[in-house]
Amino acid sequence: MRVVFLNEKVRVGDIRVVETHPYLVLETPKYEVVVPKKHLYKLFRHLGVRVTKYRRMTRDERMCTLTSAIQENSEKTLVFTYLCVENGTLFLVRVATPEYTPIPHRTLFTFVEEILKSMGITVYRKQTTRFLKRTTLRLQLDRTLLDRTDEPYAVYLQVSNANTVRDAIHISLLVQNETCENSIVVEDYAVAVHRGTLESILMRVEKRIREMVSRRFRIERLVSLLDEPLDAIRLRETIEKLSKGMSRRDRSLLEWRLQSDIKRYGYNQYALLQSISYVASRTRNNSVARRLYNSMRRMIHREMYNRNLEGH
């Protein structure tokens, strides 16, 4: 199915509410658009309307509330991004202020390399890839062969940029098993939005990169997982918890891969880590992938994670 994204700069006072049930339908100077329920908050946060209260209202109450909110914010200007599907229907997928500032990929990526250079960090390999509108720079910061498994691992800093109103700059630090290309996101990826001056955006990027790299993961810590045995009961509970929301394909893949990795590495946490990583790198469900990556981070940084829990 072919999809197209459209952008429109809209004065809030020029928006008219067409329908509120079962979906919110708006009319702008150019288009009539549907607001999916999961994207209501993107619009309502600019109008001062609470989604939870809106969902409990009747159709007439919703109409009255939105009409009043539009009048109160009539002088605001917003940038709407629509997803246009083949039948011509427009869905609102992004709401932003008109402060969007594009950054050329080369300017951003050169700046990132200069940050690492100023920190005295050597880049062993550089790769640039493009998928649809997003261009990604991947820089290898470290590479180590684990003695006990004879597997090569590498640490990468990854920065991607799409230069559209609806996309931010994504920054992540990850570890990859070079043998099978299983990836482990070590830190939560950071986001820098295209808002403000070019200088202010680059300063946000620099801050996030310095924070990530200063806590850079040491690959040798993976070896300790080989000495942590798996508990059969807790393993079943872990698999059940991780399998929530998984497709039948992903669950079967996880169970099959776990048996294979246990035979290869033994009945330990390292085998479980490899199995989770294998599925996380191949699932088509983003929410499942995030949950699996979070699980891996907790396994690797268990001491740090437990310390954080005790502090709450």
Side-chain angles (χ1 to χ4, degrees):
M1 181 177 69
R2 181 174 178 271
V3 295
V4 176
F5 290 102
L6 301 174
N7 293 322
E8 181 186 13
K9 185 179 289 188
V10 181
R11 178 179 168 272
V12 173
D14 294 332
I15 299 172
R16 188 176 72 86
V17 181
V18 178
E19 183 55 82
T20 62
H21 185 80
Y23 295 99
L24 175 60
V25 180
L26 303 176
E27 184 179 82
T28 70
K30 290 185 179 179
Y31 307 108
E32 183 172 287
V33 300
V34 177
V35 184
K37 293 179 181 179
K38 65 179 180 179
H39 294 321
L40 284 173
Y41 76 96
K42 295 183 179 180
L43 173 65
F44 287 3
R45 65 191 176 98
H46 294 283
L47 299 180
V49 177
R50 295 187 62 179
V51 176
T52 51
K53 287 186 177 181
Y54 175 84
R55 285 174 174 163
R56 293 196 295 264
M57 295 177 183
T58 64
R59 180 178 296 183
D60 291 340
E61 289 173 337
R62 290 179 176 183
M63 185 70 73
C64 182
T65 298
L66 290 179
T67 301
S68 298
I70 288 172
Q71 291 175 350
E72 292 173 4
N73 297 275
S74 61
E75 297 305 316
K76 279 187 179 180
T77 300
L78 300 173
V79 178
F80 287 174
T81 300
Y82 310 126
L83 170 65
C84 179
V85 296
E86 283 189 334
N87 65 5
T89 303
L90 294 179
F91 294 95
L92 182 67
V93 294
R94 168 85 175 182
V95 181
T97 59
E99 300 172 353
Y100 162 72
T101 303
I103 299 180
H105 301 316
R106 179 171 295 183
T107 299
L108 173 63
F109 295 159
T110 301
F111 180 73
V112 170
E113 292 182 63
E114 288 298 320
I115 294 172
L116 297 177
K117 186 177 179 181
S118 70
M119 297 178 71
I121 294 175
T122 302
V123 175
Y124 296 96
R125 192 172 68 183
K126 178 171 72 172
Q127 181 184 19
T128 304
T129 57
R130 180 179 175 84
F131 180 72
L132 298 178
K133 293 184 178 181
R134 186 165 287 278
T135 301
T136 301
L137 173 69
R138 181 182 266 203
L139 303 171
Q140 187 185 94
L141 308 184
D142 192 12
R143 192 172 190 272
T144 300
L145 187 69
L146 289 187
D147 294 335
R148 292 173 60 181
T149 63
D150 200 32
E151 293 173 331
Y153 277 85
V155 175
Y156 291 92
L157 174 68
Q158 186 168 285
V159 180
S160 66
N161 187 35
N163 260 341
T164 66
V165 175
R166 67 187 187 89
D167 291 300
I169 299 168
H170 293 183
I171 309 161
S172 58
L173 193 67
L174 57 89
V175 172
Q176 180 167 296
N177 184 326
E178 301 284 88
T179 303
C180 56
E181 295 188 347
N182 287 1
S183 296
I184 306 168
V185 179
V186 179
E187 305 291 345
D188 281 329
Y189 81 88
V191 169
V193 296
H194 288 271
R195 187 177 301 148
T197 64
L198 177 62
E199 291 75 15
S200 66
I201 297 171
L202 291 178
M203 284 179 63
R204 289 197 294 271
V205 170
E206 180 176 7
K207 179 182 178 182
R208 285 157 175 75
I209 288 178
R210 287 186 180 276
E211 289 173 349
M212 277 189 178
V213 176
S214 64
R215 300 191 300 264
R216 194 170 65 183
F217 176 72
R218 301 301 173 192
I219 300 174
E220 292 80 2
R221 292 173 63 181
L222 289 171
V223 176
S224 64
L225 295 176
L226 288 164
D227 299 321
E228 295 185 27
L230 285 173
D231 178 87
I233 296 177
R234 294 194 63 179
L235 176 60
R236 284 198 297 271
E237 292 175 351
T238 300
I239 296 300
E240 286 300 319
K241 186 180 295 184
L242 293 176
S243 298
K244 288 182 179 178
M246 273 189 183
S247 66
R248 185 178 299 176
R249 167 191 173 273
D250 287 344
R251 177 160 186 151
S252 298
L253 199 62
L254 178 60
E255 293 173 348
W256 165 79
R257 187 68 189 190
L258 181 59
Q259 296 302 317
S260 175
D261 286 330
I262 286 175
K263 288 180 181 178
R264 181 174 182 180
Y265 303 111
Y267 210 75
N268 53 51
Q269 295 286 341
Y270 186 84
L272 177 59
L273 180 79
Q274 287 295 324
S275 301
I276 295 174
S277 177
Y278 184 86
V279 178
S281 301
R282 290 161 177 80
T283 181
R284 300 173 187 138
N285 188 319
N286 289 334
S287 63
V288 168
R290 281 194 296 271
R291 188 167 70 250
L292 295 178
Y293 282 131
N294 286 335
S295 174
M296 287 186 284
R297 279 195 293 274
R298 289 194 292 271
M299 292 174 65
I300 295 171
H301 301 292
R302 182 169 289 111
E303 291 181 7
M304 181 189 307
Y305 180 69
N306 290 337
R307 197 181 310 126
N308 289 340
L309 286 181
E310 292 170 2
H312 285 298

